[in-house]
Amino acid sequence: MEDEIEKLKKENELLKKINENKSDTISITAHQLRTSLSVLKWIFRMFISEDVGKLTNKQNELAQKAYTSSERMLALVNDLLTLSYTEDASISYNLEKIDILHLVEQTIFEFSEETNKKGINLTFLRPDTQTPMVNCDENMIRVVLQNLIENAIKYSNEGGQVFVSIKQKESDLQISVHDSGIGIKDEDKNSIFKKFFRAENALEKDNIGSGLGLFTTKSIIEKHNGRIWFENTPEDGTTFLFSLPIY
Ligand code: ADP
């Protein structure tokens, strides 16, 4: 019996090692890809803005296509990197008491350029009462907010409205991101948090996306012992909500 246990322990250690090596390989490759793709994107941008000389219409059209393609690949690589980080069992979260209000404000500010470009009104409905601090990994919760706000903007029409709000619900803090966008169809409801899933209406709306954002977001929230879900208002967009326990 003891021999068996010893054997299983050894096998377990070996599997852990293999898994760690796999995560390292993904992360090193993704970092290298990201650097090269950023350079490509920057070069295509220079062509499009004719910083390196005048282009014919055809050349400009091709440079635009190459730019969009490099942008799409870069988004995929970034999502893969975050995913491999969240799935890496050897990385433990750096939990500390944070002021989530401040984090929401910072994140909203980062989207100013995007919302201006799309004419979207992104508003933070600040709570009237004091919000308790929550125990979480600030960088990881920033990723969650970025993913949800990015989607709310991406899947909204020009001139749309996005509201972020926070409220305390018993021993949880509940954060919601509401948009007036394309909504989620009934037939897609059970697939939204699955790896690589992208709904038909999302593909039509924006062809840049990996289908990894919500999967990663859910796994981050669950690692904080929280919950994430969405409510769909027909004709009136979607609200994604997540709750974090207040310890
Ligand atoms: P991506 O946005 O890269 O496609 P995500 O994992 O972030 O991937 O989202 C998965 C899918 O969930 C999207 O492709 C889309 O179909 C749907 N989705 C996410 N957020 C929204 C939203 N705010 N409104 C409508 N659909 C959404």
Side-chain angles (χ1 to χ4, degrees):
M1 181 69 178
E2 289 215 342
D3 279 359
E4 273 299 299
I5 294 176
E6 214 32 57
K7 199 172 144 220
L8 281 175
K9 268 189 186 163
K10 277 200 180 127
E11 278 174 7
N12 194 22
E13 280 308 312
L14 182 67
L15 286 174
K16 261 196 198 159
K17 196 91 219 137
I18 293 173
N19 203 22
E20 271 168 27
N21 287 344
K22 195 187 78 191
S23 302
D24 285 352
T25 314
I26 293 177
S27 144
I28 293 166
T29 317
H31 270 114
Q32 281 171 347
L33 273 174
R34 186 160 69 172
T35 313
S36 312
L37 284 168
S38 301
V39 175
L40 272 184
K41 191 177 149 189
W42 174 68
I43 293 175
F44 291 134
R45 181 78 259 161
M46 283 174 73
F47 276 115
I48 295 166
S49 22
E50 302 194 324
D51 291 347
V52 282
K54 195 123 190 74
L55 300 187
T56 64
N57 284 349
K58 189 72 201 162
Q59 285 166 337
N60 199 291
E61 190 192 313
L62 289 172
Q64 293 270 6
K65 280 193 178 147
Y67 178 80
T68 310
S69 219
S70 57
E71 202 174 34
R72 192 177 312 133
M73 284 191 278
L74 201 55
L76 173 64
V77 169
N78 278 332
D79 286 351
L80 268 177
L81 257 179
T82 319
L83 177 65
S84 87
Y85 183 83
T86 51
E87 283 189 332
D88 190 337
S90 66
I91 294 174
S92 52
Y93 280 8
N94 179 24
L95 296 181
E96 53 192 356
K97 291 241 178 254
I98 68 150
D99 175 6
I100 203 135
L101 241 72
H102 184 59
L103 186 60
V104 169
E105 273 168 349
Q106 272 181 347
T107 316
I108 287 184
F109 180 73
E110 284 167 17
F111 282 98
S112 311
E113 205 189 317
E114 237 171 301
T115 47
N116 283 343
K117 234 190 325 185
K118 243 184 130 174
I120 292 205
N121 197 0
L122 171 58
T123 315
F124 179 26
L125 305 172
R126 287 181 68 93
D128 303 329
T129 51
Q130 209 180 349
T131 308
M133 308 274 265
V134 274
N135 205 25
C136 58
D137 186 312
E138 185 164 6
N139 287 332
M140 289 290 105
I141 298 301
R142 180 179 286 117
V143 170
V144 167
L145 288 166
Q146 282 168 340
N147 280 344
L148 297 181
I149 297 175
E150 188 182 29
N151 279 349
I153 298 172
K154 190 156 84 169
Y155 299 119
S156 284
N157 295 319
E158 301 231 338
Q161 303 274 352
V162 176
F163 296 108
V164 183
S165 59
I166 298 184
K167 61 177 157 206
Q168 187 174 349
K169 283 232 156 167
E170 291 158 16
S171 56
D172 286 338
L173 206 59
Q174 191 172 291
I175 295 105
S176 69
V177 180
H178 170 77
D179 66 60
S180 53
I182 59 171
I184 293 166
K185 297 217 169 101
D186 270 355
E187 68 250 37
D188 298 322
K189 278 187 173 166
N190 296 329
S191 311
I192 287 300
F193 291 102
K194 287 187 184 149
K195 231 184 211 175
F196 297 116
F197 178 81
R198 302 202 71 209
E200 204 65 43
N201 61 350
L203 287 163
E204 277 165 23
K205 179 87 190 144
D206 194 320
N207 63 3
I208 295 176
S210 63
L212 289 174
L214 284 183
F215 176 83
T216 307
T217 299
K218 187 167 188 267
S219 98
I220 294 174
I221 294 298
E222 286 176 352
K223 277 201 188 166
H224 282 87
N225 296 320
R227 214 164 63 82
I228 181 161
W229 68 102
F230 63 87
E231 288 164 5
N232 209 27
T233 332
E235 317 299 326
D236 186 32
T238 315
T239 309
F240 274 87
L241 304 104
F242 66 93
S243 63
L244 292 169
I246 306 163
Y247 295 118

